[in-house]
Amino acid sequence: MGSLLSLVLASIVIPAKAGAVLDTLRARWTAIPVFAGMTMWAVPAHAAAGEAVNPWVALAYLVAGVCFILALRGLSSPTTSRAGNRFGMLGMLIAVVTTLVTHDVASLPEIGIAIVIGGLIGFTIARRIAMTAMPQLVAAFHSLVGMAAVLVALAAFLNPGAFGILDAAGQILTVSRVEMALGAAIGAITFSGSVIAFAKLNGNMSGAPILLPARHVINLGTLAAILIGTAAYALSPEGGPGEGWLFWAIVVAAFVIGFLLIIPIGGADMPVVVSMLNSYSGWAAAAMGFTLGNTAMIITGALVGASGAILSYIMCRAMNRSFISVIAGGFGADDATTGGGGGEQRPYKQGSADDAAFMLEQAEKVIVIPGYGMAVAQAQHALREMTELLEEKGVDVKFAIHPVAGRMPGHMNVLLAEANVPYDKVFELEDINGEFAQADVAFIIGANDVVNPAAKTDKTSPIYGMPVFDVDKAKQVFFIKRSMGGVGYAGVDNDVFYMDQTMMLLSDAKKMVEEIVKALD
């Protein structure tokens, strides 16, 4: 229980470390991973089957659910996001306190010890975690939520009488079997899939797709086996702990398919994977909420599940890809020709910080496009200082954020918020893409795939059809990257490197921007 409480506490403390982070997060990109950390696993069933429900308990859970809805609503706008975060914390407080007051779940000293242990773990994580590690932290949160769903389902399976889900014959109710099996299966998929996502994001395993022979057949066959097993378990005449081997088979198969679904997905699709796993965790919570008869879990799980599903759809649309194509295999999954090291053989212009500073201060309008390279270099603070200097010289500076920039939904928004970049200077793709033709400078820092014109011109490219920024229309392009030998996560070379109006600034992003700042002083 302590580790689960740490999940909640970390999701509250981390925004405090980041300052005004939550203020800038748009709901469809960033509210959902934070909200997922508040899933109601600590709340047991409010009543056994046939037992009268205390109306005050039901009212308290309803108020908590309303608070969670208001939390998501508040996080839809930078101006109301702080209030939204407070609503989320208030809802969690109401639900947990209601449970502790009305249920004999454990003695108060045991609860206190669990809170202290979980609080220390959560506080330590929140204090030590780097902003660049946020994507893998969110993936880790999702794994805990998924495992919690499995453990709750196992508890109900092993001791159904305590959960009030037995029929007159002493067998688990059919509907409860379906709820338990689905909740455990979704939770297991969420756990194992999140572990792989964490490993890919954290660099513990390659971010490139890992393609197994006949993977589609294996995946579809395993998913079909889970569904058939769930139906067979629900209809089995004896489905208790002693005879319910089908239940264990479903759980094991779900753990396996979680790994198999994520390993063939490349790093470029990680933002979709994170939101998808978040959705899974919500549906697992909702399924177990029905088993436990807990309205707070049902409401919260439905909110997280639906929001995550909508977010996954939005991000897939932002890449002009279908959800099925993401699950079937990420960018780079095909044997398409990539840019690899071919960039060294094509002519390009290389500039210095002094060159960039001179041209930037002569410009009237500059659009900055940040990417994961900025996150790795932790260049957001230096970038904000550069923009302030340019604005003092009368330059109009705006930031363009692509929906799938970085490694999680809203990753760039978080970093810019940490650097106190004003909300009104940050724009999404559809709101600013038409302004590049009037821009004097497109300043690309650490981005690649989201500015690659191959998405519009090369039908053989794995990113063809993905909406990208029209940086090629700007009068001048500055492109900061470490070297010409690398390509983006999609594994595709970028023609922007070699355009006549492009000047490559080859260096660590933070170091280069700091040198530009010195030249601007």
Side-chain angles (χ1 to χ4, degrees), residues 343-425:
E344 299 286 359
Q345 302 174 5
R346 298 175 62 181
Y348 63 91
K349 299 176 183 177
Q350 183 173 351
S352 65
D354 290 332
D355 297 329
F358 175 78
M359 300 183 72
L360 284 169
E361 62 184 356
Q362 301 302 316
E364 294 183 2
K365 184 173 185 177
V366 174
I367 301 179
V368 180
I369 305 97
Y372 188 63
M374 183 190 75
V376 173
Q378 287 288 279
Q380 63 269 24
H381 295 283
L383 186 63
R384 176 187 55 80
E385 187 176 357
M386 184 192 81
T387 59
E388 289 178 347
L389 289 174
L390 290 175
E391 288 172 341
E392 290 175 2
K393 298 176 182 294
V395 181
D396 179 23
V397 182
K398 295 182 178 180
F399 290 81
I401 307 296
H402 196 280
V404 294
R407 297 296 178 265
M408 65 173 281
H411 197 182
M412 296 302 104
N413 302 72
V414 170
L415 296 176
L416 295 181
E418 184 192 17
N420 294 320
V421 173
Y423 313 139
D424 57 359
K425 294 187 179 298

Side-chain angles (χ1 to χ4, degrees), residues 25 111 203 260 277 288 304 321 464:
L25 304 185
I111 294 295
L260 296 178
L277 292 171
M288 297 318 304
V304 174
R321 306 180 69 208
Y464 180 74

Side-chain angles (χ1 to χ4, degrees), residues 17 28 39 54 66-67 176 179 318 339 369 417 454 507:
K17 176 187 176 184
R28 68 189 190 207
T39 307
N54 187 324
V66 171
C67 286
S176 295
E179 294 163 356
I369 305 97
S507 175

Side-chain angles (χ1 to χ4, degrees), residues 19 71 196 228 239 247 262 293 327 362 381 400 418 421 447 454-455 483:
I196 296 297
I228 294 172
F247 179 81
I262 305 303
I327 297 301
Q362 301 302 316
H381 295 283
E418 184 192 17
V421 173
S483 70

